[in-house]
Amino acid sequence: MMIEALIAVALVGAFVTFVAPNRIAGKLAFAISLIPAGLSLWMFSAFDGSGNALLDGELAFASEFEWIQFGEYSISWLVGLDGISMPLVVLTTILSSLAIVSSWTPIDERESQFYGLVLFIEANLIGVFAALDFFVWFIFWEAVLIPMYLLIGIWGGPRRKYAAIKFFVYTNVASLVMFGAFIALVFGLGDVTTFALPDVTTAMLNGGPDGFLGIGGTTLASLVFVAMFLGFAVKVPIVPFHTWLPDAHVEAPTPASVLLAGVLLKMGTYALLRFNFTMFPTEVIEPFVIPIAAIAVISVIYGAMLALAQTDLKRIVAYSSVSSMGYVILGLIAYTQFGVGGATFQMVSHGLISGLMFMAVGVIYNATHTRMVTDMSGMADRMPVAVGILVAGAFGYMGLPLMSGFFGEFTIFFGAFGAEGLAYSQVFTALAMFGIVIVAGYLLFALQRTVFGPYHLETDYDVDRAPLHDIAPMFVLLGLIILLGVAPELIFEMITDAVDPILETGGEL
Amino acid sequence: MEDVFNYAPAIALFPLVAFVVALTFGKYMPKKGALAGIIATGGSLALSVLMLVAVASGEVYHETLYQWAIGDAASEIGADGIEFTFGILIDPLAALMLVIVSLIAFLVHIFSLGYMNAEGETGLPRYYASLGLFTFSMLAFVYADNLLMAFMFFELVGLCSYLLIGFWFRTRSAPSAAKKAFLVTRFGDYFFLLGVVAIAATFGTVAFAGDNSFVAAAESAIDNGDTLFGFGAETWVTITALLVLGGVIGKSAQFPLHTWLPDAMEGPTTVSALIHAATMVAAGVYLVARMFGYYALSPTALAIIAFVGGFTALFAATMGVVKDDIKQVLAYSTISQYGYMMLGLGVGGYVAGVFHLMNHAFFKALLFLGAGAVIVLMHHEQDMWKMGGLKDKAPITYYTFLAGALALAGIIPFSGFWSKDEILYDALIVGLEEPVILAAYAMALVAVFFTGFYTFRMVFLTFHGEPRSEAAEDPHDIGWSIKAPLVVLGVLALVAGIANLAPVAKLAHIDITFLEHWLDGEYGAVEGLTYSAYGELLAFETAYIGGEQLTVLIAAGVSLLLAFSGAGLAWKLYSVPEPVAHKERLGGARQTLESNYYQDEYQVWLAEGFTQPLARAADRFDQTVIDGVVNSVSTASLFSSSRLKRIQTGLVTNYAALLVAGFIGLLLVLGYVGGWFL
């Protein structure tokens, strides 16, 4: 019942915070969020699962009971963790706690509602990574959208309404496509009467669907694969479905950006791994391998080029997230242990690094009230510690060795280079890798303009050192980034353990 | 003696501790972190010397210390798993380099006491922390036992150079130079990383040494005639070796990725000394030496190394002759000298290349620190035309600088002569059989003349003649912490050549070739990593002019003659009471040289004239086309709903009319489908 406890603490905490006085809401929410963070760390250390959750793996902290019965179909409350979801749950709880602390400075109205919503997001995010029944999972998946919509729409920047609606509608329409496709698949499978993901996976790998509404089984599987891929592609986001992301990030308040880039994007890649690349047999995936690899490379390079053209610090980081997610897609489609394992590692790593970057940009914004590269220079003169962390985070983003980003990227490149199922894998890898040059270009350019050079600020504010509670969460993240860079096996071992069954059953493209 | 290796990790870890200490407590410490750095690098130096002694007593060390990641990966040659580890390899080459790096780092730290701590400089903890991290990264790189670990610390070296070149971040130029240094070398490192990935995916190992090294695997793949990724084994080895070379060309500032290095003079002069002599730039050439066995498998890759090296040696030397800033002259000399090392390694002259790496480390550190001393003397003036006459006012600086200059110019018996001569000799005997190498040799030979010229132009303008500014009339004092490192390095610049007097051995049969025996593993050795093992892999033929002794004499004689005539020309033009620039004599070449052959222009154009507009075009495309589609979908639905809502007028008669119209419409449709009208 550990997972239920995690979710319950966050949910109850959300309600408690919601009715608490504004004055104490931030501290209260932080105190509450420490409970799931601590619990999940304990779960991480006590983790005893093995194998993949969908492929008869030994689940950790699993629980199951029947929830709803209609006709011959039943919906169960089925949750549990394997080596893929465990690190993501820890990422979620830690990042939520830190995001709450990083809100103390910028959020100064309707605090209790704000922090309540953050805890509500946290509860649902844990649910997304832990749920193994489609309906339960989908409820959490959709429930994440609402608080995020409100965070952007209420506490966001000047164009917050546009950004919030765009975010909500775009990802919701995508979810609808994915939902319809999955239901069609389950009906098409015929003898499956539950929506439990392991059952669906077993049925898919043992013969697949018979057909639905007159569509043949093989065609149905392919159609559903494409529809679900598109549905998740918006969430990731993959080019060309990415345009909601920069708008959402620019308008979102810092902590919302931290969670958005840090965890919400990983929902997309996580779902791609869980559904598209685990459930579907090799024959279904095969025709799409080259297009997906191409789209991954395009996401990397095109995203990086877009980042190069930006002058808003948040847009730079937002577009570079698009680029980084391209690496993840490349790793997934490589279908090797290092490729898929590295992609999963990169989800965690990018969560930490992009979280750090958004926090650092936020701290500078708190002081200067601008994020435009052209509006400032020489910030290192006034905020040496915050800038130092920003520089460290930027190098983390560039994949500096001994920081987690390097391990993620290197394993993806290595896993993709020799991928036997991916034709021209060397070419794809070489092209995608060029992202590491462009990322250095736009981040170093931005650093040169904003934090170095003679001190200058267009806006009329006194810039002083950031308070400790702005700095501390960034130190925690930096510490984790270096820890995972030096000792990646801390999570890579459990990740590969959960990845291996995918490659064995569906694998060898 | 074996036990001493247990302390090997501390060699790199000491400076890492100094980094942490200086960063966290530097503010509160008496010398702002300098002492931590001095103690740490002193400790590293002592331990490195111990390692050297241990290797001299016949021991070597090759140990995996830490497993970074392990997994299944089907490699091209059939292995099905791979381990990525951190390990230490201390063989003769690594032991020698450890001593060089830690010695230079130690001296640079001491010099910094006089150079950086003197004049109210802020940010000293940051400076010493970066120096510590720099030394840590380089030392770990030097004794890395596998290619991936080497890459990782290679990158960290790049980070540290970024931090140190941009140390004076409040200026506009330093951050720009730092960015350029990182970006240009990162471009090279892109190829390096691709090479690492390719080698790992091909051979299932990245180890430098031992039975399961990628070098051994490549050798047997070539022997078996394997096909790797669709290429013949030797072609694939050439491709991957050249990919790794991309990183070398970036870090060692070889053509065409040399452009960052002159700009890097924006950093403190002490940093330049460290970067040029012992860390960043040295890392590239050291990597070639470290995995020389792999390059030896590919004559094509070696020939490319040799040619790039020979070309760069000349190319950079010609630019050095028109520079007015003392540090700029030294910067171009660094590029040129590393060209020599590349040439040496490229023709199979493993000993010669490493020998020059060592000598250059000493005399270039000396020259940069000497230039630093001059800059202090001159109250922070770097323009040589404002100097002059410092010879008598700062004799220690002058004589040590002169020793470095003589070594740089390759004047017998200073250290640089012996190593440069050996490189040229090795290039000549291979060149007599291989036209490409002969061309490389010819370029490097011509470069000797330019080297002699720009070196002594610098010496004469700085130290000789009459003072040409107030600062030169009344130089600032310099302390012991500046003088002591100069003296140590000055002595080394003079005597380090004794390590390998190859011509003497060949002419007089007096065997004073310690370094050759050292690198050949006559003391301690790791199997396969010796000079003779590499020799067996090399496919180059050699030839002599007349006989071996005559060739030695000709090679040495020609290069000495050129060096002396270059120096002599400088003496004639600039060792006069009131020297003038004489640049008009260069005619049309002047503009080209002063613009550095427009190398910066096209690279800046690639970044700002090509990539930036392309990025902006992509952004416009993204905003208008891709986001335009997204927005027009929502606009379309908003528009249609806004029109649709107009029919909800609230009047019952309207609704009734619509109902009737709808009913009629439905009837018509049904009727049409049902065939009533036919």
Side-chain angles (χ1 to χ4, degrees):
Chain A
M1 302 304 281
M2 291 304 298
I3 295 167
E4 287 82 352
L6 281 182
I7 298 174
V9 169
L11 265 186
V12 172
F15 290 118
V16 171
T17 312
F18 217 80
V19 296
N22 282 334
R23 197 167 33 83
I24 61 157
K27 310 278 191 300
L28 178 68
F30 174 62
I32 294 170
S33 74
L34 285 177
I35 300 171
L39 265 183
S40 66
L41 277 175
W42 175 82
M43 288 162 72
F44 180 78
S45 65
F47 179 80
D48 60 351
S50 70
N52 188 292
L54 303 195
L55 299 162
D56 295 329
E58 198 70 39
L59 288 174
F61 313 107
S63 64
E64 178 176 18
F65 53 86
E66 199 167 89
W67 188 25
I68 301 170
Q69 181 94 36
F70 59 95
E72 54 181 336
Y73 288 95
S74 66
I75 298 173
S76 304
W77 171 266
L78 171 58
V79 292
L81 298 175
D82 67 358
I84 294 172
S85 44
M86 184 73 242
L88 289 166
V89 167
V90 178
L91 172 74
T92 306
T93 58
I94 291 180
L95 216 50
S96 300
S97 284
L98 299 177
I100 287 171
V101 179
S102 75
S103 322
W104 289 356
T105 305
I107 302 300
D108 51 9
E109 51 173 355
R110 302 166 82 171
E111 286 95 337
S112 50
Q113 294 168 23
F114 180 89
Y115 293 107
L117 287 172
V118 171
L119 285 173
F120 187 61
I121 293 189
E122 176 180 1
N124 290 308
L125 284 171
I126 297 169
V128 166
F129 294 126
L132 292 168
D133 180 277
F134 181 75
F135 268 98
V136 177
W137 175 82
F138 190 74
I139 289 168
F140 285 125
W141 172 273
E142 287 293 289
V144 169
L145 292 184
I146 298 156
M148 184 50 82
Y149 167 78
L150 293 173
L151 287 183
I152 299 173
I154 297 175
W155 289 270
R159 295 178 73 222
R160 56 182 177 268
K161 292 242 165 74
Y162 169 76
I165 290 174
K166 190 173 185 178
F167 159 76
F168 189 81
V169 174
Y170 208 153
T171 53
N172 219 353
V173 168
S175 298
L176 190 66
V177 173
M178 177 267 294
F179 181 81
F182 191 83
I183 297 299
L185 182 71
V186 173
F187 287 144
L189 279 170
D191 49 352
V192 175
T193 57
T194 74
F195 292 91
L197 300 181
D199 295 349
V200 176
T201 310
T202 310
M204 282 298 291
L205 297 176
N206 295 318
D210 310 324
F212 182 62
L213 291 177
I215 304 168
T218 331
T219 322
L220 178 68
S222 297
L223 284 176
V224 170
F225 181 86
V226 172
M228 297 196 81
F229 184 86
L230 293 178
F232 297 135
V234 173
K235 199 81 171 190
V236 172
I238 303 170
V239 173
F241 307 109
H242 62 280
T243 55
W244 62 269
L245 183 74
D247 288 325
H249 269 308
V250 166
E251 301 306 326
T254 301
S257 280
V258 170
L259 287 177
L260 185 59
V263 193
L264 261 72
L265 305 190
K266 279 72 205 176
M267 288 165 60
T269 49
Y270 168 80
L272 274 178
L273 174 55
R274 273 279 190 257
F275 291 87
N276 286 61
F277 295 122
T278 302
M279 277 185 188
F280 289 84
T282 316
E283 311 85 79
V284 177
I285 306 175
E286 213 159 16
F288 304 107
V289 167
I290 298 264
I292 291 176
I295 233 174
V297 170
I298 291 170
S299 286
V300 169
I301 300 299
Y302 182 71
M305 289 303 279
L306 291 177
L308 196 57
Q310 307 306 319
T311 50
D312 180 325
L313 286 173
K314 263 192 159 183
R315 282 188 97 85
I316 293 176
V317 187
Y319 281 115
S320 70
S321 289
V322 176
S323 187
S324 294
M325 289 299 102
Y327 292 136
V328 175
I329 307 298
L330 180 69
L332 291 178
I333 199 65
Y335 244 75
T336 57
Q337 194 193 52
F338 275 97
V340 180
T344 312
F345 187 94
Q346 173 81 346
M347 293 181 207
V348 178
S349 160
H350 181 262
L352 298 171
I353 297 175
S354 63
L356 174 61
M357 288 298 279
F358 277 115
M359 278 186 198
V361 171
V363 168
I364 289 179
Y365 179 80
N366 293 343
T368 62
H369 295 258
T370 177
R371 289 185 309 264
M372 301 308 288
V373 170
T374 44
D375 282 355
M376 56 180 132
S377 74
M379 299 311 295
D381 187 55
R382 302 296 165 93
M383 324 179 74
V385 179
V387 163
I389 294 173
L390 175 68
V391 172
F395 276 92
Y397 224 123
M398 289 176 225
L400 191 77
L402 300 190
M403 296 173 90
S404 60
F406 177 74
F407 184 82
E409 286 170 19
F410 173 76
T411 42
I412 288 171
F413 296 145
F414 173 66
F417 191 89
E420 283 168 11
L422 174 60
Y424 311 109
S425 61
Q426 297 87 38
V427 179
F428 282 122
T429 311
L431 290 174
M433 263 178 80
F434 200 71
I436 71 167
V437 179
I438 312 178
V439 67
Y442 60 76
L443 286 180
L444 291 182
F445 188 71
L447 287 181
Q448 182 199 342
R449 298 275 293 274
T450 55
V451 303
F452 301 132
Y455 175 75
H456 173 76
L457 184 61
E458 291 281 323
T459 54
D460 197 16
Y461 288 92
D462 281 334
V463 175
D464 206 356
R465 288 170 180 246
L468 181 67
H469 59 78
D470 279 0
I471 300 291
M474 299 198 288
F475 267 119
V476 174
L477 284 178
L478 190 59
L480 288 172
I481 291 164
I482 293 172
L483 178 69
L484 283 184
V486 175
E489 286 281 304
L490 278 179
I491 63 169
F492 193 64
E493 204 178 341
M494 69 168 69
I495 288 173
T496 47
D497 181 55
V499 162
D500 281 339
I502 304 176
L503 307 174
E504 281 156 21
T505 52
E508 290 311 310
L509 273 171
Chain B
M1 208 63 217
E2 250 178 276
D3 297 341
V4 75
F5 288 119
N6 293 333
Y7 301 102
I11 296 176
L13 290 179
F14 279 158
L16 183 66
V17 172
F19 158 70
V20 175
V21 170
L23 199 62
T24 41
F25 307 113
K27 253 191 302 191
Y28 314 106
M29 294 167 75
K31 292 286 182 187
K32 308 287 177 199
L35 295 180
I38 290 172
I39 293 167
T41 48
S44 298
L45 176 60
L47 278 177
S48 301
V49 171
L50 273 181
M51 301 298 146
L52 198 76
V53 173
V55 174
S57 73
E59 308 286 342
V60 286
Y61 183 65
H62 183 196
E63 210 65 56
T64 297
L65 299 177
Y66 178 70
Q67 197 176 63
W68 196 53
I70 183 167
D72 303 332
S75 65
E76 191 71 3
I77 60 161
D80 50 10
I82 192 163
E83 282 179 56
F84 296 113
T85 57
F86 286 169
I88 290 183
L89 170 65
I90 297 183
D91 70 334
L93 176 68
L96 176 67
M97 195 67 186
L98 285 177
V99 172
I100 296 172
V101 173
S102 50
L103 173 66
I104 307 269
F106 178 63
L107 293 176
V108 164
H109 272 88
I110 290 180
F111 191 91
S112 298
L113 271 181
Y115 191 77
M116 298 296 288
N117 282 47
E119 296 166 44
E121 180 66 59
T122 57
L124 284 173
R126 180 164 50 93
Y127 171 78
Y128 285 109
S130 311
L131 276 193
L133 191 64
F134 211 163
T135 313
F136 156 72
S137 312
M138 185 65 192
L139 289 169
F141 165 76
V142 165
Y143 62 30
D145 82 330
N146 67 72
L147 189 60
L148 180 67
M149 181 180 166
F151 175 83
M152 292 170 66
F153 288 103
F154 201 71
E155 280 283 293
L156 285 177
V157 166
L159 163 76
C160 299
S161 71
Y162 173 82
L163 296 176
L164 284 166
I165 294 168
F167 175 71
W168 285 308
F169 67 86
R170 288 177 186 84
T171 63
R172 289 224 177 274
S173 48
S176 167
K179 177 194 69 177
K180 186 173 176 184
F182 194 85
L183 261 188
V184 172
T185 54
R186 180 118 258 233
F187 183 73
D189 287 348
Y190 160 72
F191 296 100
F192 185 2
L193 182 60
L194 192 55
V196 176
V197 166
I199 285 174
T202 309
F203 303 114
T205 168
V206 284
F208 280 136
D211 291 337
N212 60 348
S213 70
F214 64 90
V215 184
E219 197 183 343
S220 60
I222 291 177
D223 289 344
N224 299 340
D226 288 349
T227 303
L228 304 172
F229 289 111
F231 294 95
E234 195 179 322
T235 315
W236 186 246
V237 167
T238 303
I239 292 171
T240 51
L242 290 177
L243 285 173
V244 174
L245 190 68
V248 174
I249 287 179
K251 283 280 197 294
S252 281
Q254 298 296 291
F255 178 83
L257 300 184
H258 63 280
T259 48
W260 64 270
L261 191 137
D263 290 33
M265 294 298 115
E266 287 294 334
T269 310
T270 43
V271 172
S272 306
L274 194 59
I275 287 182
H276 290 230
T279 54
M280 175 118 169
V281 192
V285 166
Y286 179 80
L287 181 67
V288 176
R290 179 73 287 172
M291 50 184 282
F292 196 70
Y294 199 66
Y295 283 103
L297 293 171
S298 167
T300 319
L302 277 183
I304 289 173
I305 292 176
F307 194 81
V308 168
F311 178 75
T312 308
L314 176 60
F315 183 73
T318 56
M319 290 186 277
V321 302
V322 295
K323 297 292 174 276
D324 301 322
D325 181 325
I326 184 167
K327 286 179 74 180
Q328 287 288 320
V329 178
L330 289 174
Y332 283 97
S333 83
T334 298
I335 302 174
S336 174
Q337 293 298 307
Y338 278 93
Y340 280 109
M341 293 171 218
M342 294 280 277
L343 172 66
L345 292 170
V347 296
Y350 174 69
V351 173
V354 174
F355 188 26
H356 201 52
L357 183 64
M358 174 181 91
N359 288 339
H360 178 265
F362 297 143
F363 71 68
K364 189 50 64 69
L366 168 62
L367 287 169
F368 263 115
L369 293 183
V374 168
I375 292 168
V376 173
L377 288 166
M378 292 294 301
H379 307 272
H380 294 274
E381 178 59 67
Q382 295 180 203
D383 186 344
M384 296 189 295
W385 293 101
K386 299 197 173 133
M387 298 176 184
L390 290 174
K391 182 160 72 104
D392 305 321
K393 291 179 177 130
I396 291 182
T397 310
Y398 172 65
Y399 285 106
T400 50
F401 195 89
L402 187 65
L406 288 164
L408 171 62
I411 306 292
I412 198 166
F414 288 83
S415 59
F417 165 77
W418 300 103
S419 48
K420 189 191 282 184
D421 179 68
E422 201 174 332
I423 287 172
L424 289 171
Y425 170 77
D426 285 346
L428 177 62
I429 58 173
V430 176
L432 290 171
E433 291 286 324
E434 300 266 348
V436 181
I437 306 285
L438 193 64
Y441 166 76
M443 288 187 287
L445 193 63
V446 177
V448 172
F449 171 79
F450 287 105
T451 309
F453 179 78
Y454 69 66
T455 307
F456 280 92
R457 174 176 175 268
M458 172 173 68
V459 171
F460 294 136
L461 286 180
T462 308
F463 291 99
H464 289 229
E466 297 298 320
R468 290 184 296 276
S469 70
E470 275 179 35
E473 300 255 6
D474 178 26
H476 191 277
D477 287 337
I478 51 173
W480 68 269
S481 64
I482 288 186
K483 287 174 188 160
L486 291 181
V487 171
V488 173
L489 290 167
V491 172
L492 283 171
L494 175 60
V495 304
I498 291 175
N500 212 47
L501 304 180
V504 175
K506 292 194 178 84
L507 294 173
H509 301 291
I510 305 167
D511 189 10
I512 314 177
T513 52
F514 295 125
L515 190 68
E516 188 172 328
H517 295 302
W518 177 260
L519 291 173
D520 201 21
E522 289 183 22
Y523 304 89
V526 173
E527 202 188 334
L529 301 186
T530 59
Y531 184 39
S532 49
Y534 297 145
E536 283 168 24
L537 300 174
L538 282 169
F540 286 130
E541 301 282 324
T542 57
Y544 300 112
I545 306 171
E548 188 183 15
Q549 295 198 339
L550 184 62
T551 318
V552 170
L553 280 175
I554 291 175
V558 172
S559 74
L560 261 183
L561 186 69
L562 284 168
F564 272 118
S565 39
L569 183 64
W571 178 74
K572 186 165 180 299
L573 292 177
Y574 300 108
S575 185
V576 291
E578 287 181 9
V580 288
H582 297 293
K583 283 188 185 172
E584 66 284 359
R585 293 194 188 186
L586 288 167
R590 176 184 174 184
Q591 182 63 36
T592 315
L593 288 177
E594 288 191 334
S595 310
N596 304 325
Y597 297 97
Y598 307 102
Q599 292 293 302
D600 274 312
E601 274 76 0
Y602 92 81
Q603 289 182 3
V604 168
W605 178 82
L606 269 182
E608 289 173 7
F610 177 74
T611 315
Q612 285 279 8
L614 190 67
R616 280 194 289 273
D619 192 43
R620 269 197 303 281
F621 173 77
D622 202 61
Q623 297 287 333
T624 52
V625 179
I626 295 188
D627 204 31
V629 171
V630 175
N631 282 332
S632 60
V633 168
S634 75
T635 314
S637 60
L638 281 179
F639 177 77
S640 53
S641 59
S642 73
R643 285 294 150 91
L644 265 176
K645 79 181 178 197
R646 285 189 194 178
I647 54 176
Q648 302 204 352
T649 54
L651 295 174
V652 180
T653 45
N654 285 2
Y655 290 155
L658 279 171
L659 266 176
V660 174
F663 182 66
I664 294 171
L666 198 63
L667 275 181
L668 286 173
V669 170
L670 280 176
Y672 179 75
V673 175
W676 296 351
F677 303 125
L678 293 177

